[in-house]
Amino acid sequence: MSRYNVRENEAKWQSAWADRNSFAVSADPARPKYFVLEMFPYPSGRIHMGHVRNYTIGDVIARYKRAKGFNVLHPMGWDAFGLPAENAALERKVHPGKWTYENIATMRGQLQSMGLAIDWNREIATCRPEYYRHEQKMFLDFLKAGLAYRKESWVNWDPVDNTVLANEQVVDGRGWRTGALVEKRKLSQWFLKITHFADDLLSALATLDRWPEKVRIMQENWIGKSTGLRFRFQLTAPAGVTPNVFPGEPEVEVFTTRPDTLFGASFVGISPNHPIALALAEKNPAVAEFIADCNRVGTSEEAIETAEKKGFDTGITAEHPFVPGWNLPVYIANFVLMEYGTGAIFGCPAHDQRDLDFARKYGLKVTPVVVPEGEDPATFDVGTEAYTGPGLLRNSQFLDGMDVEAAKQAAGERIEAMGRGQRTTIFRLRDWGVSRQRYWGCPIPVIHCPSCGLVHVPEDQLPVTLPDDVTFDQPGNPLDRHPTWKHVNCPTCGTAAVRETDTFDTFIESSWYFLRFASPRVEGQAFNREEAAYWLPVDQYIGGIEHAVLHLLYARFWTRALSHVGYTDLKEPFEGLFTQGMVTHATYQDAEGKWLLPSDVDVVDGKSVEREGGGPVTVGPIIKMSKSKKNVVDPAHIIDTYGADAARLFMLSDSPPDRDLEWTEAGIDGAWRFINRLWRLVTEPSVALPPAGTPIPAELSPLATDARRMVHKTVAAIGEDLERFRFNKAVARIRELSNALEKLDAKAGADAQNIQEGDAAVLREGLEVLVRLIGPMMPHLAEELWSVLGHDTLLVDSVWPVADEALATEDTATVAVQVNGKLRATLHLPKDIAKEEAEALALAEPNVQRALEGKPVRKVIVVPNRVINVVV
RNA sequence: GCCCGCUUGGCGGAAUUGGUAGACGCAAGGGACUUAAAAUCCCUCGCCCUUACGGGCGUGCCGGUUCGAUCCCGGCAGCGGGCACCA
């Protein structure tokens, strides 16, 4: 019995594809295109199992679509800027660029060992000037179009990495990489106007019908559209507080989604960072202290957990817009955010939980104005829980008796008629802060001139490249410290000026790389317009759910911004999106609680022990593979041992691709076993196979008939499975088919001297089909078997099999016979047999008769080819 | 707190979306081959009763609709994910 020689064959076929440039493509308007893209990797050092899963899924789709006749673009690149390179520079005294390029070389080799059908001629690395020069140009174009601007603003400052973080990079008040408590700092920053497209980014989600619902909902919530009313309260400052506390008119503008509850108002709350609060702070140390207090706890974890409402009564009063003389106290309130709405609210405690907490604490009036159905308007009251549901208005003058929606409209109209405000829409989405105080990123192409101010780097001076001679021995930005780099003459007036030393957020590179793949070698422009028009949008994008908001939203924005400044007509970059699950593994700890690698653990007599020394091991929960918990398995080692095909097969088997996949030794063993089984099935048939295309006689043995039907059924089913990302089911069907062919082969072997005409021909056809079906999943094995079957062309150049529907359908149906819904017998009936006949046969079954217990049959339900249910 | 999703054998998961629950695989047990092991092959494998034929129960829990519910509806519980003082 032979074993499949993995190393030899995988290397052989990888070279064969490379030598023939099998996966190189070019735009060809005469052919239908298909762009398969997996989220490109960050070159961290070595590939991990998450990569293997991601690229296996993409490769199956790419190879399948290719076999189906599409012109398939399947490229690979490197998301090569980022902090880890600088951390490596710090720890190992190696230049971030050198570290990055070495990692790319390693990981390229590892990816190539997976046998991916990638057009490597299109490989890009975003840290190369020939890539990032284009995004410098794009940025300048955005700047001219008003889509980029500079603003002094509070930023999230990560004290460990010494850098600014985007809102999206702050998780629970901590830096997403370092986990350090984020501080607030005020810096001059570059922003991209993603809010300009807020409405479109939101409404176009509805067109993304090949995106997971979950991702669309997450983006929807992130964009956070609210419709409501924006209006002004007239303010009065009490004696002792001079009127000039007001930066402008003595008024404050608030935003509300509940104008219907205006008559339930009991206070006005302004943010600690509201201009009025800041103006008060200058006169009043107590206010200044209160504000400082609020800012200190700002985003910290405790603040979010305790969420205590705190307020400072300013003494200022606000006059109710509908009731002259009704004055509400104005508080500085810690729960009012300056960044959302107008930074000021009116509080209606009865119908908003935060307002209620606040009112109870400060003894403010609570007046319910919306009465739920079934409650008595005269007595309805709220306790500690605000009522936010529907109902009818009361205590609200002209709104009395209306429902909530009508009252919202009426109140809004009244305010508008009074000229005090207007109904409006606001978004939670904030503009994207893109400045980073880091070295290993794309330089921002502007110059600060003392006389001209902000000057764009002229296009003929692009790219602004990073200097190589930098040091990482002190915290802060090496670009800023560099002795000469930032000092330049102003391109406009020639006087001494300073370069911007911030670099771009690395999410910018990944916001347009898919466009660069259309024409990765074109110079002088980011991409060739025609080629981009042919290849884009990406037909199928595949990656982790962790990018549901950040990367995917930025890429959608960037694409719109590029269209806005005329680069392309593309609107949505990714037509189909698939988010794969994580690769998980059990965790192991030794007696001291130290994490152990799976490869350091052995199982002896059902117990886990340390491989070295045999110490006891605690087996922990099955969680995402991570270096910190050491529950990682190195793909390179697996590919070395079992081959890429086995690793790929395991990635596709058992777990649906959108769910988590537990990596196990037994699982990869199982995959390896199956590969050898396929190998033996094709290379060691027990009868001589007739040549390919040998006609199959009409009369076949029952076993051959069944096998042949299975072949055609499987072709149809697997096509469907692959289209719908049901790889686990596709693998199950491959196994069923190979089981059926093994059975046929064994039969042919047993009867070798008296072989039924056609059995061998059916086996031949089945093997031909089987090998083509496994092509996308196990490409090396498939290629080898294709050659064993006598083909002198490459499998990757052959077409996908076509199912013969007539051969796939059965002429009998297995019908369940139930009595009162309980299964009592199964019948094999000719397909589409007359109902009466089926009924009679069912009732004739002894077991059915027994179950009837002589009772009269009330009715019989016959579902053709499925079920007969006898009801008594 | 709000918004999503999930819950099926010892395990991963199937079930043509209202029609035979448990495909396919993993693990386990038994057997064959072998001096032995590995590899390979065969058999068993939801739970309970029964020598067998067969019967009862069973898709997180409670209820409903239906001839028939893993699937639809109402309620509850548990697990996971996202957002989080968003007015």
Side-chain angles (χ1 to χ4, degrees):
Chain A
M1 186 179 336
S2 68
R3 259 163 96 98
Y4 172 60
N5 188 330
V6 165
R7 277 172 194 255
E8 198 178 284
N9 282 313
E10 295 198 344
K12 175 169 80 185
W13 294 113
Q14 282 166 21
S15 327
W17 300 324
D19 292 348
R20 288 170 177 75
N21 234 335
S22 287
F23 308 116
V25 286
S26 52
D28 179 359
R31 291 181 63 200
K33 66 92 182 180
Y34 201 87
F35 188 175
V36 186
L37 184 66
E38 299 96 291
M39 291 179 185
F40 66 163
Y42 176 79
S44 54
R46 301 177 65 77
I47 64 168
H48 54 66
M49 283 297 175
H51 291 129
V52 175
R53 196 176 194 194
N54 194 187
Y55 300 127
T56 297
I57 292 171
D59 203 51
V60 170
I61 298 298
R63 287 176 180 268
Y64 167 70
K65 287 291 178 182
R66 181 187 156 88
K68 291 284 276 184
F70 288 92
N71 191 20
V72 173
L73 174 58
H74 187 213
M76 181 58 70
W78 308 95
D79 190 14
F81 274 137
L83 275 177
E86 284 187 57
N87 294 338
L90 213 98
E91 287 160 22
R92 308 181 207 186
K93 311 265 177 271
V94 55
H95 188 273
K98 185 173 185 313
W99 183 83
T100 301
Y101 289 122
E102 283 173 3
N103 288 347
I104 287 174
T106 305
M107 292 174 72
R108 182 194 299 119
Q110 294 185 328
L111 287 183
Q112 284 172 341
S113 77
M114 283 182 65
L116 303 174
I118 278 170
D119 181 359
W120 285 100
N121 304 314
R122 290 174 185 259
E123 180 181 355
I124 58 173
T126 59
C127 61
R128 293 190 186 279
E130 56 265 35
Y131 180 84
Y132 69 68
R133 66 178 302 153
H134 302 296
E135 78 189 38
Q136 292 179 337
K137 168 80 162 60
M138 290 171 187
F139 176 75
L140 293 175
D141 289 332
F142 293 168
L143 203 50
K144 284 176 208 151
L147 289 175
Y149 62 94
R150 193 168 168 80
K151 188 177 80 174
E152 178 93 344
S153 78
W154 289 101
V155 294
N156 305 303
W157 181 262
D158 187 318
V160 171
D161 273 346
N162 282 314
T163 191
V164 172
L165 299 173
N167 289 328
E168 293 86 338
Q169 293 167 334
V170 179
V171 179
D172 285 339
R174 290 171 183 272
W176 68 317
R177 301 195 84 98
T178 63
L181 279 178
V182 168
E183 297 168 5
K184 295 249 163 192
R185 285 209 186 173
K186 206 160 198 183
L187 282 183
S188 205
Q189 302 280 308
W190 286 103
F191 285 84
L192 293 180
K193 227 175 188 172
I194 189 169
T195 55
H196 178 77
F197 300 99
D199 230 337
D200 190 41
L201 286 166
L202 180 69
S203 59
L205 285 172
T207 68
L208 299 174
D209 53 358
R210 287 183 48 230
W211 278 41
E213 177 82 33
K214 183 188 168 116
V215 174
R216 291 191 308 214
I217 289 170
M218 281 165 72
Q219 292 212 356
E220 199 176 305
N221 292 339
W222 193 265
I223 295 167
K225 181 176 182 167
S226 295
T227 54
L229 176 71
R230 195 191 266 265
F231 69 97
R232 294 176 298 279
F233 281 98
Q234 296 298 320
L235 301 180
T236 308
V241 181
T242 53
N244 67 6
V245 290
F246 302 119
E249 295 290 308
E251 58 187 28
V252 65
E253 189 177 40
V254 299
F255 174 78
T256 180
T257 55
R258 295 296 303 272
D260 55 305
T261 64
L262 247 168
F263 287 96
S266 62
F267 66 97
V268 166
I270 63 174
S271 164
N273 295 313
H274 194 278
I276 293 175
L278 297 176
L280 275 170
E282 279 179 29
K283 311 270 184 227
N284 185 341
V287 174
E289 199 182 309
F290 179 79
I291 292 172
D293 207 36
C294 293
N295 283 338
R296 201 170 311 125
V297 280
T299 53
S300 81
E301 211 170 27
E302 305 94 281
I304 286 160
E305 273 174 18
T306 60
E308 199 197 342
K309 303 287 175 287
K310 278 196 265 183
F312 186 98
D313 189 349
T314 61
I316 299 170
T317 59
E319 188 178 51
H320 195 282
F322 296 146
V323 187
W326 178 6
N327 287 320
L328 305 169
V330 176
Y331 280 81
I332 300 169
N334 68 339
F335 65 93
V336 181
L337 305 175
M338 194 59 220
E339 301 83 38
Y340 184 74
T342 61
I345 59 154
F346 80 82
C348 176
H351 305 292
D352 181 287
Q353 191 59 45
R354 290 156 306 170
D355 296 349
L356 184 63
D357 295 345
F358 190 83
R360 293 291 185 220
K361 179 161 177 185
Y362 291 101
L364 300 165
K365 215 175 160 207
V366 179
T367 314
V369 289
V370 177
V371 182
E373 200 182 335
E375 290 278 350
D376 180 354
T379 59
F380 176 67
D381 205 353
V382 297
T384 53
E385 240 178 78
Y387 178 71
T388 55
L392 297 181
L393 274 287
R394 68 145 198 209
N395 285 342
S396 295
Q397 298 189 3
F398 67 98
L399 302 177
D400 278 349
M402 294 184 187
D403 67 24
V404 166
E405 284 315 308
K408 279 182 184 173
Q409 192 176 335
E413 278 167 6
R414 180 72 66 100
I415 291 281
E416 283 177 354
M418 293 163 73
R420 301 275 296 254
Q422 61 280 314
R423 281 171 289 179
T424 180
T425 301
I426 63 167
F427 295 90
R428 284 172 56 182
L429 185 69
R430 324 268 164 75
D431 279 339
W432 177 15
V434 295
S435 299
R436 295 291 181 277
Q437 291 66 46
R438 308 299 320 189
Y439 166 74
W440 194 235
C442 171
I444 299 176
V446 294
I447 291 165
H448 303 279
C449 171
S451 41
C452 310
L454 195 83
V455 181
H456 299 193
V457 172
E459 270 176 42
D460 59 7
Q461 290 175 29
L462 293 180
V464 177
T465 55
L466 291 168
D468 278 333
D469 51 334
V470 283
T471 54
F472 293 90
D473 45 2
Q474 335 167 21
N477 183 354
L479 288 179
D480 206 31
R481 291 198 301 272
H482 191 277
T484 56
W485 184 78
K486 70 178 175 185
H487 301 289
V488 287
N489 292 330
C490 171
T492 309
C493 70
T495 58
V498 186
R499 280 193 194 286
E500 171 75 58
T501 58
D502 285 354
T503 52
F504 282 134
D505 182 359
T506 56
F507 274 107
I508 289 185
E509 283 81 55
S510 53
S511 291
W512 68 281
Y513 75 110
F514 40 89
L515 281 157
R516 183 69 182 169
F517 276 136
S519 41
R521 300 291 169 257
V522 69
E523 289 175 31
Q525 52 184 331
F527 49 87
N528 174 285
R529 208 182 167 108
E530 286 70 40
E531 287 180 273
Y534 174 73
W535 289 115
L536 275 291
V538 174
D539 295 274
Q540 188 62 58
Y541 198 35
I542 304 157
I545 186 76
E546 66 271 21
H547 292 111
V549 175
L550 309 183
H551 161 57
L552 289 167
L553 190 60
Y554 291 148
R556 295 180 64 219
F557 154 69
W558 196 276
T559 304
R560 281 166 170 74
L562 285 180
S563 297
H564 187 83
V565 297
Y567 278 62
T568 167
D569 299 318
L570 185 67
K571 196 174 150 190
E572 286 294 344
F574 312 121
E575 198 158 281
L577 173 69
F578 187 86
T579 53
Q580 99 244 15
M582 299 179 297
V583 182
T584 63
H585 198 286
T587 44
Y588 305 102
Q589 284 172 288
D590 68 9
E592 276 102 65
K594 254 179 54 196
W595 299 107
L596 297 171
L597 287 166
S599 53
D600 291 339
V601 176
D602 245 343
V603 178
V604 178
D605 299 332
K607 274 195 186 148
S608 296
V609 294
E610 279 185 76
R611 182 154 291 173
E612 302 275 320
V617 168
T618 314
V619 181
I622 297 154
I623 53 172
K624 181 184 182 176
M625 283 189 180
S626 78
K627 280 183 191 159
S628 63
K629 298 281 179 4
K630 283 199 163 182
N631 60 338
V632 290
V633 174
D634 183 6
H637 178 69
I638 295 296
I639 290 172
D640 254 14
T641 314
Y642 299 94
D645 287 342
R648 294 168 62 119
L649 177 61
F650 181 40
M651 286 294 163
L652 300 167
S653 312
D654 297 348
S655 290
D658 52 342
R659 288 199 216 166
D660 288 353
L661 167 75
E662 187 192 351
W663 180 274
T664 59
E665 195 76 14
I668 186 70
D669 278 343
W672 171 237
R673 270 202 300 274
F674 185 53
I675 281 176
N676 279 289
R677 203 165 170 161
L678 287 169
W679 164 255
R680 288 191 301 268
L681 176 62
V682 178
T683 59
E684 299 167 358
S686 44
V687 288
L689 292 177
T694 299
I696 293 171
E699 286 297 314
L700 289 173
S701 69
L703 200 57
T705 309
D706 286 350
R708 193 176 191 206
R709 183 182 306 124
M710 175 133 228
V711 167
H712 287 272
K713 275 170 103 161
T714 304
V715 169
I718 287 190
E720 179 85 345
D721 287 338
L722 296 185
E723 298 279 355
R724 297 167 71 167
F725 281 77
R726 299 194 297 206
F727 306 115
N728 55 326
K729 287 176 67 179
V731 170
R733 289 189 217 278
I734 296 273
R735 298 186 107 119
E736 281 179 302
L737 177 59
S738 86
N739 288 346
L741 294 176
E742 269 179 4
K743 221 162 144 192
L744 179 65
D745 179 52
K747 196 244 164 220
D751 276 6
Q753 48 281 77
N754 184 24
I755 191 162
Q756 305 222 354
E757 199 186 340
D759 281 17
V762 170
L763 182 59
R764 170 89 209 193
E765 184 199 53
L767 294 177
E768 295 271 331
V769 168
L770 178 68
V771 167
R772 281 186 287 168
L773 292 180
I774 66 172
M777 306 178 195
M778 295 164 266
H780 310 86
L781 175 69
E783 201 70 79
E784 177 67 16
L785 295 180
W786 188 245
S787 134
V788 166
L789 285 172
H791 299 278
D792 49 15
T793 53
L794 286 186
L795 176 67
V796 288
D797 294 324
S798 71
V799 296
W800 193 250
V802 179
D804 185 331
E805 236 180 277
L807 290 172
T809 47
E810 315 222 13
D811 40 17
T812 63
T814 312
V815 177
V817 183
Q818 303 173 332
V819 176
N820 285 337
K822 276 189 203 296
L823 182 71
R824 296 299 171 191
T826 52
L827 292 175
H828 296 274
L829 301 177
K831 233 181 179 166
D832 301 320
I833 188 177
K835 280 194 178 189
E836 300 72 31
E837 216 173 320
E839 191 178 322
L841 285 165
L843 287 169
E845 280 292 299
N847 218 23
V848 172
Q849 280 304 321
R850 190 169 338 135
L852 291 177
E853 294 170 336
K855 290 177 197 156
V857 173
R858 284 202 292 154
K859 63 174 161 173
V860 179
I861 285 147
V862 180
V863 181
N865 306 324
R866 287 253 167 81
V867 155
I868 298 165
N869 191 9
V870 183
V871 185
V872 290

